[in-house]
Amino acid sequence: MITDPIADYLTRVRNAIMASHRVVEIPASKITKEITKILFDQGYILSYKFDDAGVQGTIKIALKYDKATKASVIKKLQRISTPGLRKYVGANDMPRVLNGLGIAIVSTSRGVMTNKQAREEHVGGEVLCYVY
């Protein structure tokens, strides 16, 4: 059993990037599936596939690298709200990551979304992580 599936997700992706892997396999949960969809929509990963085999299922993520420099598109993944210290923000206090170049993934009452979407829909929530 994993205590913090979001931190485990971010760590596995971070480790795969450091080792220059093309594909990383992660245990699936509802929240990690939503985070994967957001990363794909924002252009941080190449593709993903949900495998529902077994009890929990897995997520296979194809990581995205720059063709010229072979550097990863994702520079940093940072967990913000942890099980020991939750970080909540209102709609007016939504964080700006790298002055708008990065994204913050926020869990709101209307689902998991980016900080920009939450600001447009005028909802606050728990800041899960920063991606840039």
Side-chain angles (χ1 to χ4, degrees):
M1 182 180 153
I2 301 169
T3 307
D4 188 4
I6 300 167
D8 180 59
Y9 175 93
L10 297 175
T11 301
R12 285 178 190 240
V13 172
R14 197 179 305 118
N15 288 345
I17 289 170
M18 297 274 281
S20 299
H21 289 278
R22 293 281 173 214
V23 178
V24 60
E25 194 168 321
I26 300 166
S29 69
K30 286 183 184 178
I31 196 137
T32 56
K33 286 181 180 179
E34 292 300 317
I35 292 172
T36 304
K37 289 177 187 174
I38 289 173
L39 291 177
F40 178 72
D41 292 339
Q42 297 296 317
Y44 286 104
I45 60 175
L46 204 56
S47 65
Y48 62 91
K49 181 180 174 188
F50 299 138
D51 289 335
D52 293 330
V55 178
Q56 190 174 11
T58 58
I59 305 170
K60 288 187 180 178
I61 299 174
L63 299 172
K64 193 174 189 179
Y65 294 95
D66 186 23
K67 288 181 172 59
T69 62
K70 304 286 191 240
S72 174
V73 172
I74 299 173
K75 301 293 178 223
K76 189 163 187 176
L77 291 166
Q78 184 180 4
R79 179 80 159 115
I80 302 301
S81 183
T82 62
L85 181 62
R86 302 287 185 184
K87 297 282 186 182
Y88 296 98
V89 294
N92 297 329
D93 301 326
M94 204 54 66
R96 287 174 52 99
V97 181
L98 233 59
N99 208 13
L101 294 176
I103 61 167
I105 298 178
V106 184
S107 177
T108 68
S109 58
R110 296 187 190 160
V112 180
M113 59 182 72
T114 65
N115 56 338
K116 295 166 189 159
Q117 292 168 328
R119 196 176 294 118
E120 287 171 6
E121 294 188 22
H122 203 68
V123 291
E126 182 182 358
V127 180
L128 300 177
C129 61
Y130 292 161
V131 182
Y132 55 90

